[in-house]
Amino acid sequence: MNWGQAAQDRLSEIARHSADPDGVTRFPFTPEHGAALDVIRSWMSLAGMSSRMDASGTLIGRKEGPIGSKTFLIGSHQDSVRNGGRYDGIMGIALGCLAMQKLSDAGTELPFSVEILAFADEEGVRFPTALMGPRALAGTFDPSVLTMTDKDGQTLGDALTAFGGDPRKVSQLSRDPSDVLGYLEMHIEQGPVLEIEDAPLGIVTGICGIERNAVTFTGETGHAGTVPMQSRRDALVAASGFISEVFDAAQAVPDLRATVGTISLHPNVVNAVPGRAELTLEIRSLSDAARKSFAEVTRTMGQRISQDRNVGFSSVRTYEQPAVPCDKDLTKTLELAVTRSCSTAPRLPSGATHDASAMADLCPISMLFVRCRDGVSHKPEEFASDADMDAAIQAVASFLTNLDL
Amino acid sequence: MNWGQAAQDRLSEIARHSADPDGVTRFPFTPEHGAALDVIRSWMSLAGMSSRMDASGTLIGRKEGPIGSKTFLIGSHQDSVRNGGRYDGIMGIALGCLAMQKLSDAGTELPFSVEILAFADEEGVRFPTALMGPRALAGTFDPSVLTMTDKDGQTLGDALTAFGGDPRKVSQLSRDPSDVLGYLEMHIEQGPVLEIEDAPLGIVTGICGIERNAVTFTGETGHAGTVPMQSRRDALVAASGFISEVFDAAQAVPDLRATVGTISLHPNVVNAVPGRAELTLEIRSLSDAARKSFAEVTRTMGQRISQDRNVGFSSVRTYEQPAVPCDKDLTKTLELAVTRSCSTAPRLPSGATHDASAMADLCPISMLFVRCRDGVSHKPEEFASDADMDAAIQAVASFLTNLDL
């Protein structure tokens, strides 16, 4: 059997369950979600696994190990962004099922139970929350999110009930950490590093911490014709100096990412000096210390630039999420498994958040990245090759076989 | 009589004719415009002038000179922006009437006729056009604008007819240049230069030419977490370098103003690298050659910066209006008149457009700026003092008396 081609075929098949024909649009607790779970059940069955949906809407496939053995978890999410691709999320479930099927076909008996977790919602597009499934397992679920509503006014709790879940029982799903061996997630990289390194697979060192800052420069507006250059207190000019300097400084810090993604001017008209510029600065790093230190550097920059340009400056941290390191032992075992079939296994941080970040509150985590074409994700053009997915299936089968737990 | 205080009182009185109590909102061909013209007629009458409204809605006050003499024109506009101030436009009419009244009270007979022109629309807020009155006099009126509509769908032609004007006759208003001696406009500066120079009045050297450019930097969007800094093609970072450099370079060119007033990012979300940045660059100068040369400099900058940042760049001129110099002889006479009562008479360009720019197609023009507090205009806080307006009335009375035409 060509496992990589099988993965490609399965992802093409399940991509049809989409609310929109342009790419994949599959939100949680929708008819598309239901149809996708039917397909995933068939994948689990082919891998010799039983399946059931838990109260939070997570479809769980289980291959029972010896009596009294513990359980290793493999997970990812079934949902997509609007007009997303065929790989983000769902690929991890497909590859997990195929790796288990490959072991089953070979008659390999593992000394532990394995569960494949098809989480309902990681993207957080339908409701202003996400990660309910893994949080429930980790015991970090906050029931207040059940009252959050989608754009049609339906609550998350009602949508879950209508889907066959049970909002009242989500808090009872938490697992006993002593029964869980660890967690593995496979995901497309969503970035260009593996392509640049010419590597099919990458070993994730951890999930970057994130902070967001609301940065404001306040000058003085005025007529673009009547205020001489020397009299201006142009907020955009100050903001521009800041944006350039932050970018250049971030390049000098290993594995740090700093992004000014939005800017808003007041009054924002062609013939007025901008009096206020508001921008967002997001900083990500696997090192929380490096991230915080860089944020301080940007504040110093902003103060200096605003003094030079005679404008006001403020920077307020509006959001913060600490980094989640991957487990050293699982990561080493994964790296060994990858190098059995690939000549190189680059280590890299995950700049994006994943289900694994919530699972880290339950057990040791590990992540395997699969190269994606041009680093593109969240678009219909998202693509991973048969060969790269085949390598991932081989590596995970080998990883499970060689787990020394 | 305290002429400055009279000016202040008159401007307070006419400010009541506003569509909104917050500042002055007086659009052309509205009931407020009609009520304002009644007030202006009374000013003209007190100055010993006859009055009539022409087909374009310009109220014309006339003081007849000796038989066969030519006519000197003094003008400004009655309209305001939405929630504007009490001085922009209307002050020029009030000061013109008071200067004529002062001469009349003193029994001064001028060797030429004088007309005061209260134009209907210079701000162009109600209809997407402006300057119909002065263009009609100069013979540059384009009748196609009569079909333009306001936000309620009424055409300019219908609004003019309902106001007592005559759209069919606007094109017949053009004056014979040989009958016109020149044109003078008084206006608040709308900028901080006179305040900085501690001067009540300023001599305008000309009205700056204007060009607007649509500038685009095109990079590549991507996930703010997954794309390493070294792989980014960030359109905003390139645009920022451009904005800073343009500002700094413009400071080195005398009397040039360059303004990036708007910016728009795509996708403009907190966690995505900006893939495209579109901005407007407006350049103003009294020297068309200096303006065009600076525009070329900005294109070279944009090309260099975009190469450094590995993004695309384009700059397209979307609008251009050449500079209008003031007449040297009128300006010199005005300067002499101002220095009779003021210790200093700074020369400065007008960065904003005025009725005078259209009148320049008919006759030699001159402009006198009156200092305004904090350089503020187009706001309720707009203010010029009694003393400064008094100085303007003195200067214009002296100017008219000393005109050697």
Side-chain angles (χ1 to χ4, degrees):
Chain A
M1 178 157 172
N2 184 326
W3 298 97
Q5 188 185 322
Q8 202 69 273
D9 292 345
R10 287 185 175 186
L11 292 172
S12 297
E13 178 195 1
I14 202 164
R16 289 199 293 265
H17 299 299
S18 167
D20 190 301
D22 182 21
V24 177
T25 302
R26 193 165 57 237
F27 297 161
F29 316 126
T30 58
E32 300 78 56
H33 181 186
L37 291 198
D38 287 341
V39 176
I40 298 169
R41 274 189 197 93
S42 73
W43 298 348
M44 291 170 169
S45 175
L46 287 165
M49 307 180 93
S50 63
S51 63
R52 66 182 175 89
M53 191 180 81
D54 77 9
S56 75
T58 301
L59 183 68
I60 303 176
R62 183 171 173 90
K63 169 78 174 179
E64 205 64 44
I67 291 168
S69 65
K70 298 182 179 181
T71 304
F72 190 84
L73 307 172
I74 298 174
S76 188
H77 58 98
Q78 70 81 31
D79 67 318
S80 76
V81 297
R82 188 181 301 280
N83 303 119
R86 306 177 159 196
Y87 301 85
D88 185 343
I90 190 68
M91 186 194 72
I93 300 167
L95 299 187
C97 290
L98 285 165
M100 287 301 291
Q101 185 172 340
K102 183 176 162 71
L103 290 175
S104 173
D105 286 7
T108 307
E109 293 287 339
L110 296 170
F112 46 82
S113 300
V114 174
E115 287 185 6
I116 293 182
L117 309 169
F119 297 119
D121 184 11
E122 188 261 4
E123 300 290 358
V125 177
R126 179 172 177 188
F127 298 97
T129 181
L131 303 175
M132 177 167 62
R135 284 178 180 156
L137 300 181
T140 60
F141 173 69
D142 171 6
S144 71
V145 304
L146 292 165
T147 61
M148 288 178 170
T149 54
D150 66 11
K151 69 177 176 54
D152 299 321
Q154 188 173 33
T155 66
L156 173 54
D158 288 348
L160 178 58
T161 302
F163 194 70
D166 189 340
R168 291 164 308 172
K169 294 189 177 163
V170 174
S171 293
Q172 300 164 26
L173 295 175
S174 62
R175 299 285 179 97
D176 180 347
S178 67
D179 292 337
V180 179
L181 291 167
Y183 173 83
L184 170 70
E185 183 166 344
M186 289 166 274
H187 204 282
I188 56 165
E189 182 203 338
Q190 303 182 270
V193 174
L194 295 176
E195 200 168 62
I196 291 168
E197 305 246 349
D198 198 20
L201 305 176
I203 312 298
V204 177
T205 49
I207 297 169
C208 290
I210 306 175
E211 69 172 82
R212 291 176 180 165
N213 297 276
V215 177
T216 306
F217 290 89
T218 310
E220 193 173 2
T221 188
H223 191 294
T226 63
V227 185
M229 302 308 290
Q230 283 76 5
S231 304
R232 295 189 179 191
R233 298 174 58 226
D234 187 318
L236 176 59
V237 169
S240 294
F242 180 78
I243 293 164
S244 299
E245 279 199 31
V246 166
F247 184 87
D248 292 337
Q251 292 194 310
V253 185
D255 281 338
L256 184 127
R257 278 119 209 213
T259 308
V260 176
T262 75
I263 188 164
S264 151
L265 298 186
H266 305 263
N268 201 40
V269 294
V270 64
N271 61 346
V273 177
R276 194 163 81 251
E278 295 168 352
L279 45 98
T280 56
L281 169 62
E282 191 187 86
I283 310 173
R284 300 188 185 217
S285 172
L286 198 52
S287 159
D288 291 336
R291 169 175 55 77
K292 288 175 187 173
S293 158
F294 188 78
E296 268 311 301
V297 167
T298 68
R299 283 187 197 98
T300 306
M301 273 177 194
Q303 273 149 11
R304 176 177 43 73
I305 291 167
S306 64
Q307 278 164 15
D308 289 352
R309 296 296 192 182
N310 193 25
V311 303
F313 167 77
S314 73
S315 176
V316 178
R317 184 179 287 143
T318 55
Y319 176 81
E320 185 172 22
Q321 170 184 318
V324 178
C326 286
D327 179 71
K328 283 195 172 29
D329 291 338
L330 288 178
T331 299
K332 193 160 192 184
T333 306
L334 187 60
E335 192 166 37
L336 284 169
V338 169
T339 50
R340 269 183 209 104
S341 52
C342 301
S343 59
T344 174
R347 290 187 163 223
L348 74 171
S350 171
T353 299
H354 296 287
D355 293 294
S357 65
M359 292 301 285
D361 290 321
L362 172 65
C363 63
I365 63 160
S366 52
M367 281 196 75
L368 181 66
F369 271 170
V370 178
R371 173 170 56 184
C372 60
R373 191 170 59 196
D374 299 334
V376 168
S377 80
H378 285 191
K379 287 184 185 172
E381 294 75 27
E382 193 177 81
F383 180 76
S385 72
D386 296 12
D388 292 355
M389 292 194 286
D390 192 73
I393 294 164
Q394 305 277 6
V396 169
S398 167
F399 166 80
L400 291 170
T401 312
N402 289 282
L403 263 182
D404 178 21
L405 297 162
Chain B
M1 179 157 172
N2 184 325
W3 298 97
Q5 189 184 321
Q8 201 69 273
D9 292 345
R10 288 184 176 187
L11 292 173
S12 297
E13 179 195 1
I14 202 165
R16 288 199 293 265
H17 299 298
S18 168
D20 189 300
D22 182 21
V24 177
T25 301
R26 193 165 57 237
F27 297 162
F29 316 126
T30 58
E32 299 80 57
H33 181 186
L37 291 198
D38 287 341
V39 176
I40 298 169
R41 275 189 196 94
S42 74
W43 299 348
M44 290 170 168
S45 174
L46 287 166
M49 307 180 92
S50 64
S51 62
R52 66 182 175 89
M53 190 179 83
D54 77 10
S56 75
T58 301
L59 182 68
I60 302 176
R62 183 171 173 90
K63 170 79 177 181
E64 205 63 44
I67 290 168
S69 65
K70 298 183 178 180
T71 304
F72 190 83
L73 307 172
I74 299 174
S76 188
H77 58 98
Q78 70 80 32
D79 67 319
S80 76
V81 297
R82 188 181 301 280
N83 303 121
R86 305 178 161 195
Y87 302 85
D88 185 343
I90 189 67
M91 186 193 73
I93 300 167
L95 299 188
C97 290
L98 285 165
M100 287 301 290
Q101 185 172 340
K102 184 176 160 72
L103 289 175
S104 173
D105 286 6
T108 308
E109 293 288 339
L110 295 171
F112 46 84
S113 300
V114 174
E115 287 186 6
I116 293 183
L117 310 170
F119 297 119
D121 184 10
E122 188 261 3
E123 301 289 358
V125 177
R126 180 173 176 186
F127 297 97
T129 181
L131 304 175
M132 177 167 62
R135 283 178 180 155
L137 300 182
T140 60
F141 173 69
D142 171 7
S144 72
V145 303
L146 291 165
T147 61
M148 289 179 172
T149 55
D150 65 11
K151 69 176 177 53
D152 299 323
Q154 188 173 32
T155 65
L156 173 53
D158 288 348
L160 177 58
T161 301
F163 194 70
D166 189 341
R168 293 164 305 174
K169 294 190 178 163
V170 173
S171 293
Q172 300 165 24
L173 296 175
S174 61
R175 299 285 179 98
D176 180 346
S178 67
D179 291 337
V180 179
L181 292 168
Y183 173 83
L184 169 71
E185 183 166 346
M186 288 166 275
H187 204 282
I188 55 166
E189 182 202 340
Q190 301 182 271
V193 174
L194 295 176
E195 200 167 61
I196 292 168
E197 305 246 349
D198 198 20
L201 305 177
I203 311 298
V204 178
T205 48
I207 297 169
C208 289
I210 305 175
E211 68 173 82
R212 291 176 180 166
N213 298 275
V215 177
T216 306
F217 290 89
T218 309
E220 193 173 4
T221 187
H223 192 294
T226 63
V227 185
M229 302 308 291
Q230 284 74 9
S231 304
R232 294 189 178 190
R233 298 174 57 225
D234 187 318
L236 176 59
V237 169
S240 293
F242 180 77
I243 292 164
S244 300
E245 279 199 33
V246 166
F247 184 86
D248 292 336
Q251 292 193 310
V253 185
D255 281 337
L256 183 126
R257 277 118 210 212
T259 308
V260 176
T262 76
I263 187 165
S264 150
L265 298 186
H266 305 262
N268 201 40
V269 294
V270 64
N271 62 345
V273 177
R276 194 163 81 251
E278 295 167 353
L279 45 97
T280 55
L281 168 62
E282 191 186 88
I283 310 173
R284 300 188 186 218
S285 173
L286 197 53
S287 158
D288 291 336
R291 169 174 56 76
K292 288 176 188 174
S293 156
F294 188 77
E296 267 311 300
V297 167
T298 69
R299 284 187 197 96
T300 305
M301 274 179 195
Q303 273 149 10
R304 175 176 43 73
I305 291 168
S306 63
Q307 277 164 15
D308 289 351
R309 296 296 191 182
N310 193 24
V311 303
F313 166 78
S314 73
S315 176
V316 177
R317 184 178 288 144
T318 55
Y319 175 81
E320 186 171 20
Q321 169 183 319
V324 178
C326 286
D327 180 71
K328 284 195 171 28
D329 291 337
L330 289 178
T331 299
K332 193 159 190 182
T333 306
L334 187 59
E335 191 167 36
L336 283 170
V338 169
T339 50
R340 267 181 213 107
S341 51
C342 302
S343 59
T344 175
R347 290 187 163 223
L348 75 171
S350 171
T353 298
H354 295 287
D355 293 293
S357 65
M359 291 301 286
D361 289 321
L362 172 65
C363 63
I365 64 159
S366 52
M367 281 195 76
L368 180 67
F369 271 169
V370 178
R371 170 168 60 184
C372 59
R373 192 170 59 196
D374 298 334
V376 168
S377 79
H378 285 191
K379 288 182 183 172
E381 294 75 27
E382 193 179 81
F383 179 76
S385 73
D386 296 12
D388 291 355
M389 291 194 287
D390 192 75
I393 293 164
Q394 306 278 4
V396 169
S398 167
F399 166 80
L400 290 171
T401 313
N402 289 281
L403 264 182
D404 179 22
L405 298 160

